[in-house]
Amino acid sequence: MLARRPVQFVCIVLLLVPLLAFGYAGHFSRYIADDYCTTHIALSQGLLGSVAHWYMGWAGQYTNWTVKGIVAYLGTGFPGAIPALILLLWVGVTVWTVQQVTTALHLTPERVFAGLLGLVLVFAVFAGIPSVIQSLYWLGASIPYTLPLAGLIFYVGYFVRETSHAASGHIPARGLVVIVLLLMLGSVRAGM
């Protein structure tokens, strides 16, 4: 068992290097195309005004417009941090979800293995996307499409965790979290 640990750490490093490169390259990203429009409306009409403007006139995605409005208020340099934050969130929730699933299946892999499997899943997604620019670096696509997938992965882990607790006789009283998360995730692309 101890002989596998160095191999797992080497694999983790090999998977982290390209993801870190994606995150670092995102540091150079700026507003593209419609990002200028959403930012202008957010700064000129305020956060709630911009959400109402886009929700009523473009698409019923209040979570999408709220996040884009908040990003507008954080300044023009903040879009460079979004890709790294999305990658960090994806890796975190994927590793956590892998731990929840393995626990529900009564498997007890080491945390290193759960981290490795989570990284493999995230790496596979980002290695297979047709356009890294559109999926990770462009706010107009990364916020409504890529970011909610991380939320969906969290929801899967949360669902597995709560279902396994309910199966063991413990009735979870956290239904409100599920409802709020589903409403937020559903609103991101509900208008399409």
Side-chain angles (χ1 to χ4, degrees):
M1 171 142 332
L2 291 175
R4 284 188 285 169
R5 185 166 282 190
V7 173
Q8 290 174 345
F9 280 119
V10 168
C11 290
I12 286 174
V13 169
L14 291 175
L15 290 168
L16 273 176
V17 168
L19 293 175
L20 290 171
F22 281 148
Y24 178 72
H27 173 70
F28 299 103
S29 64
R30 301 290 179 253
Y31 290 128
I32 304 170
D34 358 353
D35 297 340
Y36 290 105
C37 299
T38 55
T39 300
H40 170 72
I41 296 296
L43 295 177
S44 64
Q45 295 186 15
L47 182 61
L48 294 179
S50 72
V51 171
H53 171 85
W54 294 114
Y55 184 84
M56 301 298 276
W58 194 256
Q61 309 159 352
Y62 53 86
T63 304
N64 174 25
W65 306 120
T66 303
V67 172
K68 287 180 181 176
I70 291 170
V71 169
Y73 278 104
L74 294 174
T76 57
F78 191 72
I82 296 283
L85 292 174
I86 288 174
L87 287 169
L88 183 65
L89 181 67
W90 264 56
V91 168
V93 299
T94 304
V95 169
W96 181 79
T97 298
V98 166
Q99 290 175 339
Q100 300 310 309
V101 170
T102 56
T103 301
L105 295 174
H106 303 292
L107 302 173
T108 54
E110 299 176 19
R111 290 184 188 259
V112 175
F113 180 76
L116 178 61
L117 185 56
L119 279 171
V120 166
L121 294 171
V122 173
F123 177 80
V125 168
F126 283 98
I129 57 177
S131 173
V132 176
I133 293 172
Q134 288 185 349
S135 300
L136 194 58
Y137 303 135
W138 177 31
L139 293 179
S142 66
I143 291 175
Y145 295 110
T146 308
L147 189 59
L149 292 175
L152 182 62
I153 292 168
F154 171 78
Y155 180 72
V156 168
Y158 185 79
F159 179 79
V160 167
R161 178 177 175 223
E162 293 304 313
T163 304
S164 65
H165 284 306
S168 66
H170 175 263
I171 306 294
R174 301 180 194 115
L176 183 60
V177 172
V178 172
I179 291 169
V180 169
L181 188 60
L182 283 176
L183 287 174
M184 288 175 57
L185 290 174
S187 78
V188 177
R189 290 312 311 163
M192 299 307 275

